[in-house]
Amino acid sequence: MQVEQFHYDNKIVKQFAFATALWGIVGMIAGLWVAIQFYAPGAALNFAPTTFGRLRPVHTNAVIFAFVGNCIFTGVYYSLQRLCKARMFSDKLSRLHFWGWQGIIIAGALTLLLGYTTGKEYAELEWPIDIAITLIWVVFGINMFGTIIKRRERHLYVAIWFYIATWVTVALLHIVNSFEIPVSFLKSYSWYAGVQDALVQWWYGHNAVAFFLTTPILGLMYYFLPKAANRPVYSYRLSIIHFWALIFIYIWAGPHHLLYTALPDWAQSLGTVFSIMLLAPSWGGMLNGLFTLRGAWDKVREEPVLKFFVVAVTCYGMATFEGPMMSLKNVNAISHFTDWTIAHVHIGGLGWNGFMAFGMLYWLIPRMWGTPLYSKKLATNHFWLGTIGIVIYAVPLYWAGFTQAQMWKTFTEEGQLKFQFLETVTHIIPMYVTRSVGGALYLLGAFIMVYNLYKTVAKGKFIANEAAEAAPLETHHSTGREHWHRWIEKKPMTLLVFSLIVVAIGGAIEMIPTFLVKSNVPTITSVQPYTPLELHGRDIYVREGCYTCHSQMIRPFRDEVARYGEYSKAGEFVYDHPFQWGSKRTGPDLAREGGKYPDSWHYNHMMDPRIMSPGSIMPSYGWLLDNKIDTASTPARIRAMQKLGVPYPAGYDQVANKNLLIQANSIRLNLKMDKIETPKDAEIVALIAYLQRLGKDIKGTAKN
């Protein structure tokens, strides 16, 4: 049989590997910076781009899409060529993918820091960047499927199955969640509103974790763990069951982020059921990874790469056990809105994603430079710093989460709430300090890795085009009996279509009734559209990332109704594009904020929160006192809302600014009565208008 000579492209792998290390450091520095702001609000520097609300989405996007994203592409470009016994389909597409992705990362970071955000978690980037992401994702897909089609190996190894499912599902998630109406070049409103927007967002948000932070990394695990251990996968059959069960079940689980909210009960229950079912395939994958090391545990003592992989897979198991547990309603009643969720997320992020990335880089770089790793001792030190860092990071946050839930729900014998909200914040500040120490240790370990890899590269010689040979793919088909998966492995496009069908079922069954059956979102006649000034105020609220610390969703619990007022109803949010329910309460819920305090209280609170709330950890927002409302954009905002079905009268865009100035002047006069002079077109006036509107359409006020 004729053997063909060819070369693997290591240059693209090198570029993505270097980007992984760079963006990992950047994302972790941003994370440490926001962690410090929890106990030292002055670390926000009184500068809009470095406040928690703007820096936090920079951290999450940098870690998810820059660090883990580049890690995924590093592993896929390396492993896919070798599994297919073929060079990538197109070197030009590889380069376009690399530079396009880095451009998206930089554009995303800059726009988020400047306050251009959609206000949807993990999907904050505005519409032009969303379009760029779509185009670059298509480039990646063409390059990947082109390589698979021209492969010299008939068998599609299971890692490639995970890559295919990742590509098709991320495309589906991104497109569906990114429907928005542009107002201007960097401003848009979500196509969906309220309950529907929340459902779509957490269908996306949960599955961004599933199909960006989990399935592609599982694909890398199935390639790199056996390679590093020099052992075959424990059970190939289990890996196939793991794959199909995981991608089918995962997509249904999004509603467990919305338990006890205004989402219809049937959708919440569906999310809970599938979240519990998710435990089986997740642990199947974890055990398959750990059992692959049978007979190789002596190597784990010596090889830092295997140390990283073992802890990574263990953290995957921990996170995927905890996730289903947190989707039980009685557990979620304690965990939701607390720091427990943050601890849970970082077990996955720091342990599973971070350690898989580190282990992969330690394995790849020496091979591509043809030299041993510079220092196994430094790599082992990195491992222990990272592991201890994760423990010191997570344990205090679990403690903080339980403490928050307990303090929020405690009543006195007289039936009054025992603690003011601010007391629950100041009480756990020592846990926040400890958390940042753990994060700093983890970051120090990453710096050690960069140094170690730099020294490894310096002493080796890069193999840009790695020589390989393989026989061409045979065209005849076997006539013997085959396992069913062999049939689908010969048809990658069929596998793509099957994967799409499997992942689309869950989302469709949850979303279509929520959109089409009106009883799921009963209307409330007293709920009216926002006035032009309130709309501007809401956009400022979204711009500053207030939803990252404040929720607008009162659950039907005795303590929440006593603290905040009447629990939230689905019909309240029909004009909210996007919804602002939040996912963490660092500050109190604002759903019934309107009318609780005079306008002057909000003015002083935004100028310096500690004037009105001694001990507050909220940053100051002094620029809102100086910035002017962008009244030139008011007509465009109103027209966009009209396109979305908000019932403003015809032609209202032409008179909106007149109404805006009347309401703004009213607030200016209120402030003047309290000896505060401010122009009526200051942004603070618009924000006050929005805050004073919250909950006014629903009767029921807080009792304490």
Side-chain angles (χ1 to χ4, degrees), residues 561-636:
V561 172
R563 191 182 299 277
Y564 303 120
E566 181 69 15
Y567 68 88
S568 299
K569 317 291 195 302
E572 289 182 53
F573 309 101
V574 291
Y575 303 130
D576 284 5
H577 300 267
F579 82 111
Q580 289 288 282
W581 296 358
S583 56
K584 166 79 160 56
R585 282 184 186 148
T586 305
D589 189 277
L590 301 179
R592 304 282 178 258
E593 187 70 10
K596 276 190 180 181
Y597 305 105
D599 293 347
S600 57
W601 188 95
H602 290 292
Y603 183 96
N604 288 322
H605 188 246
M606 299 307 294
M607 180 174 67
D608 182 357
R610 279 147 291 283
I611 294 174
M612 309 310 296
S613 305
S616 171
I617 62 171
M618 178 174 151
S620 302
Y621 287 88
W623 55 91
L624 299 181
L625 282 55
D626 302 318
N627 290 355
K628 304 298 183 205
I629 300 168
D630 179 19
T631 52
S633 68
T634 307

Side-chain angles (χ1 to χ4, degrees), residues 425-502:
V425 177
T426 55
H427 186 80
I428 59 176
I429 282 177
M431 288 80 142
Y432 288 148
V433 175
T434 314
R435 178 262 293 266
S436 65
V437 172
L441 289 175
Y442 192 91
L443 176 60
L444 177 61
F447 274 116
I448 290 172
M449 178 193 72
V450 169
Y451 173 76
N452 202 358
L453 294 180
Y454 167 75
K455 296 295 282 185
T456 304
V457 166
K459 74 170 187 171
K461 185 178 180 183
F462 180 56
I463 307 164
N465 294 288
E466 187 178 326
E469 60 180 29
L473 190 66
E474 295 178 12
T475 54
H476 73 273
H477 298 279
S478 171
T479 54
R481 189 180 174 193
E482 297 180 318
H483 284 293
W484 67 270
H485 63 84
R486 294 294 186 196
W487 168 78
I488 201 168
E489 285 167 2
K490 297 171 188 174
K491 301 176 180 292
M493 301 313 289
T494 305
L495 178 59
L496 168 71
V497 172
F498 276 21
S499 299
L500 177 60
I501 292 168
V502 166

Side-chain angles (χ1 to χ4, degrees), residues 502-515:
V502 166
V503 297
I505 292 169
I509 288 175
E510 288 172 350
M511 279 187 232
I512 292 171
T514 309
F515 279 79

Side-chain angles (χ1 to χ4, degrees), residues 419-430:
F419 300 103
Q420 296 295 322
F421 188 89
L422 188 54
E423 292 178 83
T424 72
V425 177
T426 55
H427 186 80
I428 59 176
I429 282 177

Side-chain angles (χ1 to χ4, degrees), residues 56 119-122 194 197-198 201-202 256-259 261-262 332 336-338 341-342 538 541-542 545-555 560 568 573 576 578-591 690:
R56 191 259 188 179
K120 301 178 76 168
E121 281 194 70
Y122 318 134
D197 193 41
Q201 160 58 26
W202 283 112
H256 78 218
H257 291 263
L258 300 168
L259 299 182
T261 67
N332 190 272
H336 196 55
F337 290 134
T338 75
T341 305
I342 311 303
R538 190 173 200 275
Y541 180 95
V542 170
C546 302
Y547 61 90
T548 58
C549 287
H550 295 281
S551 58
Q552 289 183 31
M553 173 51 59
I554 302 170
R555 299 173 295 175
E560 296 202 11
S568 299
F573 309 101
D576 284 5
F579 82 111
Q580 289 288 282
W581 296 358
S583 56
K584 166 79 160 56
R585 282 184 186 148
T586 305
D589 189 277
L590 301 179
Y690 173 64

Side-chain angles (χ1 to χ4, degrees), residues 356-399:
M356 279 300 297
F358 299 151
M360 184 187 74
L361 291 176
Y362 279 128
W363 190 86
L364 272 180
I365 299 296
R367 278 161 181 76
M368 293 199 299
W369 268 264
T371 182
L373 183 66
Y374 170 70
S375 171
K376 281 190 179 181
K377 186 175 181 181
L378 280 178
T380 302
N381 290 340
H382 172 199
F383 168 79
W384 287 113
L385 275 172
T387 303
I388 294 166
I390 292 170
V391 173
I392 295 175
Y393 184 105
V395 171
L397 285 191
Y398 284 118
W399 188 356

